[in-house]
Amino acid sequence: ADVNPVIQSSCASTSSCHGSGSVNGPGALTSYSAIFNARNAIRTAVSSGSMPQNSTLSNSQKNSILCWIESGASNN
């Protein structure tokens, strides 16, 4: 409920990032299964600040993503 909107607006907004049809990094991040499968890459990119490109996430957004991944990345 908290993480998906951030990923959809900051990561999966266009195919040049991780939208539909993307082949960048882990590919498209448009579904729960794709995001779940890419969770380790997402954790690394968010932790290092390398993603999202041309944008930044607030500390709250970063913490939400990292906490969600560390808690098992459940589909809720």
Side-chain angles (χ1 to χ4, degrees):
D2 297 323
V3 173
N4 191 49
V6 174
I7 291 178
Q8 296 312 310
S9 67
S10 299
C11 309
S13 57
T14 67
S15 62
S16 63
C17 292
H18 300 288
S20 182
S22 173
V23 294
N24 297 317
L29 298 175
T30 56
S31 68
Y32 169 75
S33 61
I35 294 166
F36 182 83
N37 291 336
R39 67 192 179 282
N40 292 326
I42 293 169
R43 176 180 40 224
T44 300
V46 169
S47 294
S48 71
S50 64
M51 292 290 155
Q53 289 184 345
N54 304 318
S55 181
T56 57
L57 297 174
S58 70
N59 285 336
S60 177
Q61 290 171 317
K62 287 179 185 180
N63 289 337
S64 290
I65 292 169
L66 297 174
C67 182
W68 174 73
I69 291 170
E70 294 300 323
S71 297
S74 60
N75 187 10
N76 58 3

